[in-house]
């Protein structure tokens, strides 16, 4: 089985402006970007920020269900040179470094020589909802759609490392894929994990929602790291290097970092000198329906729908406000597919008065952690980890 000349199927895509005016002290994430008229292969038309590398956002109305369809799942690549075809006959995952038995694992061997596991988990970019920060930060000005939840199938990374046999000097695992930088002096994308981070639920996945991984989501295999932001979910995984010591990397030591203080915050005039990498996700919920600017008839029956998640502790409750946060009522929660999955919620209400109406959703997890109001979110220069209470304003007519 081969996939050839992938990008020749679709070479053009519409670009969306990456800048947003900082016109207020606080604001909600921008979810009004236009969906592109051009669809990438294996995808429906999505919000397009770039076609080289592909950067695509899921429209907010998709987030009314716990599972995000493959063809609507967001896409985030860092390197512009992505292989345009993959030959499964020759594709190998190389395992080397501080191991007793170096491995070159084919996809066939991955499926036959190891225990197969499945798990349902949220994948979310660390910059999701970045457009909410004021002043504007660097990076893609995502709305709420740089996330998705899927059922992943593959093998445990632990099992692969066990078969390779770690030496006594093994402390770090380096992972990188087949995407490449355009210039030889540009560092390729690579992530490093300490051995203690390799839990039983960290897998090398080759299926997503019962199908082969979509090409743009990392075909043929990618790392799945539940509870962690997606910068560590390496796509088109080709090399696993076991190391004695940590190796300094741009995407570990400069990018994807927040201030190393209690609030993980700073100001534009006083940037934090000490930083730390973003790791586990914080609690979050979004409203998928109705969306902002939806027009609804007065006295009609409306069912608000959305999804909530955290880093894996589990969602205990989602509260809904139909009066801009003055009062709150519990939503009905859907089935818990896993502690790492989206948890559906819905809330029935009947708007009586005509005019604008502000709806809000606030998630609370089993630890008692809850989403803060947007006005209480503090700034960081990378625009990471935004999780303010979601808010939409509808018009009742």
């Amino acid at each position: 089985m081969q996939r050839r000349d992938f990008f020749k199927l679709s070479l053009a895509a519409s670009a969306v402006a990456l800048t947003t005016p900082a016109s207020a002290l606080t604001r909600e994430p921008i979810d009004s970007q236009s969906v592109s008229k051009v669809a990438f292969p294996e995808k429906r038309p999505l919000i397009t920020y770039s076609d080289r590398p592909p950067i695509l956002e899921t429209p907010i109305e998709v987030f009314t269900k716990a599972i995000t369809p493959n063809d609507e799942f967001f896409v985030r690549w860092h390197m512009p040179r992505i292989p345009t075809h993959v030959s499964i006959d020759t594709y190998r995952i190389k395992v080397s470094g501080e191991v007793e038995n170096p491995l070159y694992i084919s996809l066939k061997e991955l499926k036959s020589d190891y225990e197969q596991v499945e798990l349902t988990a949220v994948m979310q970019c660390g910059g999701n909802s970045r457009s909410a920060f004021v002043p504007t930060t660097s990076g893609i000005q995502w709305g709420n759609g740089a996330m998705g939840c899927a059922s992943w199938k593959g093998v445990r990374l632990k099992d692969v490392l066990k078969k390779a046999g770690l030496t006594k000097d093994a402390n770090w695992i380096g992972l990188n894929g087949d995407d490449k930088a355009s210039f030889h002096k540009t560092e390729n994308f690579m992530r490093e994990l300490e051995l203690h981070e390799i839990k039983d639920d960290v897998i090398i996945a080759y299926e997503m929602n019962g199908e082969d991984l979509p090409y743009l989501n990392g075909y043929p295999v990618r790392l799945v790291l539940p509870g962690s932001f997606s910068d560590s979910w390496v796509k088109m995984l080709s090399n696993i290097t076991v190391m004695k010591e940590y190796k300094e990397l741009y995407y570990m030591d400069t990018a994807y970092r927040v201030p190393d203080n209690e609030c993980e915050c700073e100001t534009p005039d006083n940037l934090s000198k000490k930083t730390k990498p973003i790791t586990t996700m914080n609690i979050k919920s979004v409203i998928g329906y109705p969306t902002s600017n939806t027009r609804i008839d007065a006295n009609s029956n409306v069912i608000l729908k959305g999804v909530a998640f955290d880093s894996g502790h589990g969602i205990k409750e989602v509260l809904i406000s139909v009066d801009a946060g003055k009062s709150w009522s519990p939503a009905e929660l859907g089935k818990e597919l896993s502690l790492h999955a989206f948890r559906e919620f819905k809330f029935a209400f009947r708007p009586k008065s005509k005019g604008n109406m502000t709806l809000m959703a606030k998630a609370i997890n089993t630890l008692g952690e809850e989403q803060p109001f947007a006005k209480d979110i503090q700034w960081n220069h990378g625009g990471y980890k935004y999780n303010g209470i979601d808010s939409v304003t509808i018009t009742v007519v």
Side-chain angles (χ1 to χ4, degrees):
M1 175 183 177
Q2 295 183 341
R3 294 196 177 188
R4 296 182 178 277
D5 300 327
F6 174 78
F7 288 105
K8 289 183 180 179
L9 297 174
S10 177
L11 295 177
S14 300
V16 176
L18 303 185
T19 58
T20 304
S23 58
L25 293 178
T26 60
R27 66 166 178 259
E28 296 302 317
I30 298 171
D31 283 309
S32 58
Q33 297 101 325
S34 298
V35 171
S36 173
K37 295 180 180 179
V38 177
F40 282 74
E42 301 179 297
K43 297 291 180 181
R44 294 188 181 190
L46 302 176
I47 299 165
T48 304
Y49 293 93
S50 169
D51 60 358
R52 183 177 170 88
I55 302 176
L56 313 173
E57 178 175 347
T58 304
I60 191 65
E61 56 267 21
V62 173
F63 301 114
T64 59
K65 297 293 184 182
I67 297 297
T68 310
N70 289 1
D71 60 0
E72 295 181 301
F73 213 96
F74 87 101
V75 172
R76 173 65 165 116
W77 290 84
H78 296 81
M79 300 293 110
R81 291 174 55 200
I82 301 171
T84 56
H85 81 278
V86 174
S87 172
I88 294 305
D89 293 337
T90 59
Y91 195 89
R92 297 292 185 273
I93 304 171
K94 179 182 178 182
V95 184
S96 61
E98 296 293 336
V99 296
E100 303 286 353
N101 307 300
L103 303 174
Y104 295 85
I105 309 170
S106 68
L107 187 60
K108 181 179 180 180
E109 291 168 333
L110 198 70
K111 294 179 178 180
S112 63
D113 296 356
Y114 301 86
E115 181 182 357
Q116 309 298 295
V117 296
E118 292 186 59
L119 58 89
T120 303
V122 173
M123 182 172 73
Q124 178 187 209
C125 177
N128 192 28
S129 309
R130 180 181 280 129
S131 62
F133 281 105
V134 178
T136 302
T137 70
S138 60
I140 306 301
Q141 295 301 299
W142 299 107
N144 280 326
M147 65 177 190
C149 181
S151 174
W152 311 90
K153 183 176 181 179
V155 307
R156 298 182 188 90
L157 177 56
K158 263 188 175 182
D159 292 347
V160 171
L161 296 175
K162 182 178 180 180
K163 188 166 186 178
L166 302 183
T167 71
K168 61 180 179 60
D169 291 325
N171 294 304
W172 288 86
I173 310 295
L175 306 115
N176 64 279
D178 275 349
D179 53 323
K180 300 290 189 295
S182 292
F183 303 100
H184 71 279
K185 290 186 178 180
T186 302
E187 185 177 301
N188 287 322
F189 190 86
M190 182 175 179
R191 303 299 289 173
E192 293 176 339
L193 300 173
E194 285 191 83
L195 274 181
H196 71 80
E197 297 179 83
I198 313 298
K199 310 293 187 184
D200 286 342
D201 58 4
V202 177
I203 69 172
I204 301 171
Y206 54 82
E207 279 189 12
M208 180 176 169
N209 292 332
E211 302 175 348
D212 289 345
L213 289 173
Y215 202 100
L216 288 175
N217 292 116
Y219 180 87
V221 294
R222 73 172 305 151
L223 193 72
V224 170
L225 197 68
S228 295
F229 285 106
S230 65
D231 56 291
S232 294
W233 294 42
V234 178
K235 296 179 289 296
M236 285 188 178
L237 181 64
S238 59
N239 290 281
I240 301 173
T241 307
V242 183
M243 302 175 294
K244 179 179 180 179
E245 298 177 344
Y246 174 81
K247 177 183 177 182
E248 290 191 8
L249 300 168
Y250 171 79
Y251 287 102
M252 294 286 292
D253 299 288
T254 302
Y256 292 104
R257 298 179 72 88
V258 292
D260 189 7
N261 52 41
E262 185 175 354
C263 66
E264 297 183 342
C265 63
E266 57 196 339
T267 66
D269 297 326
N270 186 22
L271 298 180
S272 178
K273 295 181 180 179
K274 188 177 180 182
T275 63
K276 61 184 179 182
I278 61 172
T279 51
T280 55
M281 298 188 296
N282 39 6
I283 189 170
K284 192 180 184 81
S285 69
V286 299
I287 299 170
Y289 178 83
T291 58
S292 289
N293 301 317
T294 297
R295 295 172 67 85
I296 293 176
D297 292 335
N299 294 310
S300 60
N301 294 316
V302 183
I303 299 180
L304 177 151
K305 297 180 180 181
V307 295
F309 63 99
D310 69 350
S311 63
H313 300 290
I315 297 300
K316 178 182 178 181
E317 188 175 32
V318 175
L319 300 178
I320 303 298
S321 174
V322 296
D323 55 12
K326 295 177 184 177
S327 62
W328 297 86
S329 300
E332 179 184 342
L333 296 182
K335 181 181 179 181
E336 185 176 74
L337 300 182
S338 86
L339 291 175
H340 288 292
F342 280 160
R343 188 82 181 266
E344 293 178 15
F345 62 84
K346 62 182 180 180
F347 181 81
F349 68 100
R350 178 180 290 181
K352 297 181 179 180
S353 302
K354 294 183 179 181
N356 289 339
M357 185 176 190
T358 298
L359 313 175
M360 301 176 120
K362 175 173 63 174
I364 303 171
N365 68 7
T366 57
L367 298 181
E369 298 170 338
E370 60 182 69
Q371 286 178 272
F373 281 95
K375 64 181 179 63
D376 296 324
I377 297 289
Q378 300 191 66
W379 189 86
N380 68 80
H381 76 278
Y384 295 125
K385 300 183 68 173
Y386 182 89
N387 71 328
I389 290 173
D390 196 22
S391 173
V392 300
T393 299
I394 62 174
T395 302
V396 181
V397 296

